[in-house]
Amino acid sequence: MAFRSKEMVKKIMKKIGGEKNLNPGVKESLKKSLPESKVVMSRAHRGIYAGRHIQFGNQVSEKGGNKTRRNWKPNVQEKRLFSYILDRHIRVKVTTHALRCIDKAGGIDEYLLKTPYKKMDTEMGLLWKSKIEKMYQELGNMEVVFFPQEEENKLAEEFKDMIIEQRVVRRDARRIAYGWSPKVAQIEEASEDGEANHHEELVANS
């Protein structure tokens, strides 16, 4: 299915919040990288295919050498990839070649940042690349604040109290749902002691 690069750029600009929210060079690089027309399979617009699309050729028989037209479709998988910039999982359809490229780059964020626009030949790939670049720029403009040691200790104590309150709420909910018995109480105390020791070890190591 053929598409026009101008229409794709307009769609991407609309989805990410308009042209004003982008860097000055992003729109120009999009226009330069995308050709005026290109044949891309329609389902590739909904995933990251890394240049792998449907291919056409001939199937040649062994005995008579007869040729029959056939096609080869890419191996597409639906995966949940974690993005550190977005701080959540992204459910996307990717090819096995794209997965190898993502692993080699070090993650979905690094792959989108390092891959040039001319290789992002799908609408979803261009959209995620623009979003990641926009958020990466916002993170770069943020100020980093370091807390004194006293405030860090205070935050650690508050975090510990919050964890204890969460344990009490979960314990009460389990007792209401499953009933209460001395054996269950022993199991809960053992699990809480194990969680407390693990948390103390993490605080000591940090």
Side-chain angles (χ1 to χ4, degrees):
M1 181 179 180
F3 63 88
R4 292 286 179 180
S5 61
K6 293 181 180 179
E7 297 177 359
M8 177 177 279
V9 171
K10 288 181 180 179
K11 287 183 180 179
I12 295 171
M13 295 293 177
K14 186 177 180 181
K15 287 183 179 180
I16 61 177
E19 184 179 352
K20 298 180 180 178
N21 297 327
L22 286 178
N23 292 334
V26 174
K27 186 177 179 181
E28 286 73 12
S29 59
L30 275 173
K31 290 181 178 180
K32 291 179 182 179
S33 302
L34 291 173
E36 288 297 326
S37 63
K38 189 176 181 180
V39 177
V40 176
M41 53 193 299
S42 58
R43 70 169 181 165
H45 294 294
R46 302 184 295 272
I48 299 175
Y49 280 38
R52 294 294 189 267
H53 300 291
I54 189 169
Q55 296 179 351
F56 301 92
N58 296 321
Q59 182 177 358
V60 183
S61 62
E62 296 181 359
K63 295 182 179 179
N66 299 322
K67 295 182 179 180
T68 305
R69 294 294 294 175
R70 61 156 295 181
N71 54 35
W72 290 268
K73 295 180 180 180
N75 187 3
V76 182
Q77 307 288 333
E78 187 174 357
K79 297 292 183 180
R80 291 174 68 248
L81 305 175
F82 185 77
S83 172
Y84 288 96
I85 296 179
L86 299 175
D87 195 21
R88 66 182 180 89
H89 283 88
I90 300 173
R91 185 179 293 276
V92 64
K93 292 182 179 180
V94 293
T95 59
T96 52
H97 174 67
L99 283 176
R100 290 193 296 270
C101 294
I102 291 170
D103 291 337
K104 185 176 180 180
I108 184 67
D109 299 329
E110 289 78 6
Y111 171 75
L112 293 173
L113 291 172
K114 293 178 182 178
T115 305
Y117 278 97
K118 61 183 179 181
K119 292 186 178 181
M120 288 289 179
D121 51 359
T122 61
E123 184 176 347
M124 178 173 282
L126 290 169
L127 175 62
W128 281 113
K129 181 174 175 62
S130 302
K131 281 187 177 181
I132 294 296
E133 286 186 348
K134 177 186 173 184
M135 295 194 69
Y136 193 76
Q137 182 192 11
E138 293 177 355
L139 290 174
N141 295 331
M142 292 176 62
E143 296 182 358
V144 180
V145 179
F146 295 96
F147 293 97
Q149 188 64 32
E150 297 178 356
E151 294 187 6
E152 287 186 1
N153 295 334
K154 184 179 178 181
L155 290 173
E157 290 294 332
E158 293 178 355
F159 183 70
K160 184 177 180 180
D161 295 338
M162 183 181 67
I163 291 177
I164 293 173
E165 292 177 358
Q166 290 179 355
R167 289 175 188 163
V168 172
V169 172
R170 288 199 300 266
R171 182 187 62 191
D172 296 339
R174 285 196 300 267
R175 287 181 177 179
I176 294 171
Y178 303 107
W180 184 87
S181 65
K183 188 175 181 180
V184 174
Q186 292 178 0
I187 296 173
E188 289 180 350
E189 289 177 359
S191 62
E192 289 178 359
D193 293 338
E195 292 179 358
N197 294 332
H198 180 66
H199 178 67
E200 290 177 359
E201 291 177 359
L202 292 176
V203 172
N205 294 330
S206 62

